[in-house]
Amino acid sequence: MKQPLTIALTKGRILKETLPLFAEAGIEPLDDIASSRKLLFETSVPDVRLVVLRGSDVPTYVRHGAADIGVVGKDILMEFGAEGLYEPLDLGIARCRLMTAGFPNANESRPRLRVASKFVNVARAHYAARGVQAEIIKLYGAMELAPLMNLADQIVDIVDTGNTLRANGMVPLEHIADISSRLVVNKAAMRTRHNVISGVIEAVSRAVAQREASAA
Ligand code: PRP
């Protein structure tokens, strides 16, 4: 039997935007991913299968070769690094911004700003580059709660519509990066399975180009 090509997808909002794009590229899961408790899916393309993971696990699977290709947010690549990975394609989906945020007109009198984030490496680099002394506090979710509960003065988080910040009385402050989902490829697999991987990259990149052309 031929070894299947495995594509690791990021669950959640990214998955909802990935599936239509992959369908346009001719790659469709044979089961309904949304209603299934399975984590591994055969597709309409023989020998291509999908796994659905947390975003922060996608680079790990691809880096170790457990998956050949991945779909993951640029925020995750910035935070956890892209070592061992090629990043050949910006999918143009799940667009948002990585920003600092806090209460408007906050008067920071502390010598060290307290910043809550799940993107601790990005946050540390951002404040260091601005020469701001910051204590970075790692959280795993609900970042917006940290300033409300006086756990932190600011947060570093993803902002899409800005609704979550507004609903909690906060405002976006500094723009760190524009984010979208990227295709990543295991570097060794790119050499050893070049034909099949290039076929997937080309199909998906045609679908991305078609969307861009019809949006223009
Ligand atoms: C993200 C982010 C914000 C929210 C921003 O969380 O952490 O809470 O979306 O979106 P908005 O600007 O449109 O309000 P997500 O819902 O992805 O969940 P997570 O905290 O599990 O990452």
Side-chain angles (χ1 to χ4, degrees):
M1 201 186 105
K2 238 167 65 184
Q3 193 198 351
L5 185 88
T6 305
I7 307 178
L9 304 183
T10 294
K11 68 181 180 184
R13 198 166 63 95
I14 294 180
L15 181 66
K16 287 200 187 89
E17 296 192 35
T18 304
L19 292 176
L21 179 67
F22 270 44
E24 288 158 34
I27 304 166
E28 293 188 77
L30 298 183
D31 288 303
D32 177 24
I33 292 188
S35 65
S36 174
R37 300 294 297 167
K38 287 205 305 193
L39 299 169
L40 192 53
F41 298 89
E42 302 301 317
T43 72
S44 50
V45 183
D47 301 317
V48 173
R49 61 182 186 171
L50 305 175
V51 286
V52 181
L53 304 172
R54 276 179 84 104
S56 45
D57 288 337
V58 169
T60 308
Y61 269 71
V62 179
R63 182 174 298 125
H64 290 278
D68 304 284
I69 294 178
V71 171
V72 65
K74 182 69 179 174
D75 51 337
I76 298 291
L77 296 173
M78 287 172 68
E79 176 63 21
F80 297 103
E83 189 200 331
L85 307 174
Y86 288 120
E87 189 191 312
L89 188 59
D90 182 345
L91 300 175
I93 58 170
R95 288 182 192 274
C96 53
R97 288 151 290 146
L98 198 48
M99 303 205 58
T100 70
F103 291 119
N105 313 314
N107 186 7
E108 308 303 353
S109 51
R110 300 168 198 284
R112 254 159 93 85
L113 196 69
R114 296 167 312 160
V115 178
S117 188
K118 62 180 166 192
F119 304 102
V120 290
N121 295 320
V122 171
R124 201 169 286 120
H126 174 75
Y127 288 96
R130 291 176 58 251
V132 174
Q133 291 256 10
E135 177 193 353
I136 311 294
I137 301 167
K138 168 96 183 182
L139 289 180
Y140 292 87
M143 249 61 68
E144 294 82 0
L145 201 51
L148 281 172
M149 303 302 287
N150 199 25
L151 174 64
D153 307 301
Q154 294 186 2
I155 60 173
V156 167
D157 199 9
I158 292 298
V159 180
D160 179 15
T161 60
N163 288 342
T164 311
L165 287 178
R166 262 191 301 281
N168 292 289
M170 275 174 267
V171 289
L173 296 170
E174 290 157 0
H175 176 272
I176 299 177
D178 286 327
I179 302 297
S180 55
S181 298
R182 310 298 165 100
L183 208 66
V184 291
V185 179
N186 174 279
K187 281 192 175 169
M190 189 69 172
R191 286 193 303 276
T192 55
R193 312 193 68 190
H194 188 262
N195 287 349
V196 59
I197 290 178
S198 319
V200 170
I201 296 174
E202 274 162 32
V204 177
S205 86
R206 268 196 304 276
V208 172
Q210 263 163 20
R211 283 185 167 195
E212 280 166 4
S214 57

